[in-house]
Amino acid sequence: GQQLNQSPQSMFIQEGEDVSMNCTSSSIFNTWLWYKQDPGEGPVLLIALYKAGELTSNGRLTAQFGITRKDSFLNISASIPSDVGIYFCAGYYSGTYKYIFGTGTRLKVLA
Amino acid sequence: NAGVTQTPKFRILKIGQSMTLQCAQDMNHNYMYWYRQDPGMGLKLIYYSVGAGITDKGEVPNGYNVSRSTTEYFPLRLELAAPSQTSVYFCASSRDRLNIQYFGAGTRLSVL
């Protein structure tokens, strides 16, 4: 089945550093979502993007819908220990009833 | 607000046993989904439903069955459990196909 390419797969960063991750696809998407999954929990929505070029923030998180509609980016500024978890992107394209999920970026923050 | 509720949280099955994973949502959402998440992997769609009485296969439906008799409930049935079905199962719901999906906390299943 189709899945999005998400990178990096994992990263260790120092507390206070900025984090960047991205998601790419061979298909054009109409909607991009970014979720965070804490250990032992289900994914929780962070940001939703609906237009190409859209830039949306949620606190220290900023996500962008790529101009080509085939990619999306998530940035976390000034990371803190509670940012640890798995970040998933999900894309939706016209004509389907489902979102396609990326394989996740596992973030670990070193205090 | 309960949102999406999944039961049980954990279960161990023997090969060949059957079980039903329960999912309920109280948001009156039309769309409901079942995903599995294997270790280190993303989410793969098993089945989805666009409304009561309507279900369809996702990417990995083999070995599973679903039913949707009401808007609120969307149970997932494993008839003959196999080790390959060891995974974490997530149920999700959304208002419509363009809307964001809300996830339950998951059911962690081991088949030994």
Side-chain angles (χ1 to χ4, degrees), chain B residues 21-39:
Chain B
L21 282 67
Q22 302 292 345
C23 177
Q25 53 95 5
D26 62 0
M27 297 173 281
N28 201 32
H29 284 170
N30 289 321
Y31 286 63
M32 296 187 75
Y33 310 82
W34 274 106
Y35 295 90
R36 60 177 286 170
Q37 183 180 32
D38 298 327

Side-chain angles (χ1 to χ4, degrees), chain A residues 1-3 31 33 35 37 39-43 45 48 50 86 88 92 95-103 106, chain B residues 31 33 35 37 39-45 48 50 57-59 90 97-106 108:
Chain A
Q2 181 180 359
Q3 283 198 311
T31 301
L33 307 177
Y35 285 89
Q37 184 179 22
E41 300 292 330
L45 183 74
Y50 299 104
I86 305 175
F88 289 103
Y92 176 90
T96 72
Y97 289 97
K98 57 189 180 185
Y99 281 90
I100 305 297
F101 281 81
T103 51
R106 286 146 188 80
Chain B
Y31 286 63
Y33 310 82
Y35 295 90
Q37 183 180 32
M41 301 296 290
L43 298 166
K44 293 188 177 180
L45 183 65
Y48 66 96
V50 303
K57 297 177 180 178
E59 298 175 74
F90 289 102
R97 62 176 176 160
L98 296 178
N99 231 270
I100 60 175
Q101 295 181 13
Y102 296 88
F103 284 82
R108 283 143 189 83

